[in-house]
Amino acid sequence: MIIWVASYPKSGNTMVRSLLSAYLFTKDGNFNFETLKNISQFPDITFFKKLGVDVSKDDEVLKNYIRAQEEINKKNKKAITFLKTHSTLHSINSHKFTNYQNTCGVIYIVRDPRNVVLSYANHNQITIEQAVKALKSFRVLGGVKNSNIAADRGLTHVGSWSSHYNVWKEFKKTNRYLLIKYEDLISDTKMTFLKILNFIYILGNAKHTVDQDKLNNAIKTTSFENLQQMEKTTFFEEAKKINKQYVTFFKYGPKNNWKKNLSNELSKDLEKEFKNEMKELGYI
């Protein structure tokens, strides 16, 4: 069964996956970029090519989302599979993204949209004004056939920041949903990650004892400073290449402060647009 690591782009998904891959897929908890390959992105055209789907046609890919997930679960049988996604849970052209039969649970990471726009602007090399507009719009990402990132060659239907947050709450109805705020992940990494591990083991009906040494190593080696240093010396395949230049992926992190870097006009725009969600999350 699949556990989704879901989020709107630039909200902390990579940090959660780094912690998970270091703790669950290494012997000692020491992270490196290769361990992230244990958590694939969905949708990724490679899943659909294996099914013989014409990946040049978006609707053909969409209609095979569930089939692809069924194949993933067949191969792994009783084991849990972690998949990263930035996709909305909305049905697109009447095609569902996933269902209860294929989903064990959802770890949903959310971040203050006033900080998301700053990271989003850098990642896509656009202005902050353009990033604000993007968060407010129902967006589709990817479709870059010659992208250096395999997962970006297909399309991901993201939606707006608010619709993305709201629609994934569907899994709260069956107690298969864990909300993680990026801000908590930064301020108290250990307790927040233990909450994630506990959620996973409950979903899997498994007893567990935390390996403290492994946990400490995972936290230490996935700190933003360490990831930033690793990117300087090791190729990180999720970093975008724009105009033949790689864009730094780990650029701002905890230092991303909307109060210093976002104009009053733009912050008010976001607060007005996402008023209900930001109040619910305690951002305003």
Side-chain angles (χ1 to χ4, degrees):
M1 291 282 280
I2 296 166
I3 291 182
W4 298 101
V5 184
S7 72
Y8 192 85
K10 307 310 294 179
S11 298
N13 199 303
T14 301
M15 185 174 182
V16 171
R17 288 184 295 122
S18 297
L19 285 162
L20 285 172
S21 62
Y23 187 81
L24 297 176
F25 300 112
T26 70
K27 292 181 179 180
D28 54 14
N30 288 316
F31 174 78
N32 61 71
F33 289 147
E34 285 296 307
T35 65
L36 278 176
K37 293 181 179 179
N38 289 287
I39 303 178
S40 300
Q41 179 167 312
F42 192 95
D44 183 320
I45 59 173
T46 55
F47 289 117
F48 303 96
K49 282 184 174 180
K50 291 176 183 178
L51 297 175
V53 174
D54 184 352
V55 297
S56 67
K57 298 178 179 178
D58 185 39
D59 203 59
E60 287 299 308
V61 174
L62 286 166
K63 70 170 61 174
N64 281 283
Y65 274 5
I66 301 298
R67 183 181 164 211
Q69 292 166 33
E70 289 171 346
E71 288 300 312
I72 291 167
N73 283 326
K74 279 181 186 177
K75 287 184 178 180
N76 294 326
K77 296 181 179 179
K78 295 182 180 180
I80 286 175
T81 299
F82 294 92
L83 290 178
K84 163 200 173 179
T85 191
H86 289 315
S87 178
T88 178
L89 198 61
H90 285 100
S91 293
I92 307 295
N93 298 341
S94 299
H95 304 304
K96 290 185 177 181
F97 175 75
T98 190
N99 55 23
Y100 288 123
Q101 290 71 36
N102 284 290
T103 296
C104 183
V106 178
I107 300 166
Y108 189 86
I109 309 108
V110 69
R111 185 183 191 182
D112 189 324
R114 293 167 298 189
N115 279 329
V116 171
V117 291
L118 299 170
S119 291
Y120 193 89
N122 172 71
H123 184 65
N124 294 286
Q125 293 295 282
I126 58 177
T127 66
I128 296 176
E129 289 79 7
Q130 288 173 318
V132 169
K133 185 177 180 180
L135 263 69
K136 293 164 59 178
S137 306
F138 200 95
R139 302 280 289 174
V140 177
L141 303 179
V144 185
K145 302 303 180 183
N146 61 345
S147 173
N148 59 296
I149 306 171
D152 282 352
R153 292 172 199 151
L155 291 177
T156 298
H157 295 261
V158 177
S160 67
W161 180 88
S162 57
S163 69
H164 197 287
Y165 165 67
N166 285 317
V167 75
W168 275 99
K169 289 188 284 186
E170 168 71 23
F171 286 95
K172 289 178 73 173
K173 297 175 182 178
T174 53
N175 297 316
R176 304 190 206 181
Y177 175 90
L178 177 67
L179 177 67
I180 295 296
K181 292 173 70 173
Y182 174 82
E183 294 77 15
D184 294 337
L185 200 60
I186 293 298
S187 65
D188 195 342
T189 305
K190 187 171 186 177
M191 287 305 298
T192 306
F193 186 50
L194 284 172
K195 186 187 296 186
I196 293 172
L197 290 177
N198 188 57
F199 175 71
I200 292 167
Y201 289 119
I202 288 174
L203 288 177
N205 293 314
K207 294 181 179 180
H208 72 287
T209 301
V210 175
D211 184 326
Q212 291 294 336
D213 289 337
K214 201 173 184 183
L215 177 68
N216 291 334
N217 284 341
I219 293 170
K220 180 180 179 181
T221 57
T222 59
S223 69
F224 185 81
E225 293 75 17
N226 194 56
L227 294 175
Q228 199 172 45
Q229 187 59 40
M230 286 177 65
E231 187 180 11
K232 291 178 181 178
T233 58
T234 308
F235 172 68
F236 182 49
E237 65 178 26
E238 292 184 30
K240 277 194 173 185
K241 191 176 184 180
I242 299 178
N243 296 326
K244 298 182 180 181
Q245 294 292 323
Y246 282 100
V247 180
T248 301
F249 190 91
F250 301 102
K251 186 171 183 177
Y252 297 119
K255 294 180 180 178
N256 186 345
N257 187 341
W258 66 268
K259 293 179 181 179
K260 294 181 179 180
N261 301 310
L262 192 64
S263 71
N264 185 62
E265 180 184 0
L266 291 177
S267 64
K268 292 298 181 185
D269 187 7
L270 289 169
E271 289 161 12
K272 180 180 178 181
E273 180 76 15
F274 305 135
K275 179 180 178 180
N276 293 336
E277 292 78 16
M278 292 181 74
K279 277 190 172 182
E280 182 179 310
L281 290 162
Y283 290 140
I284 56 176

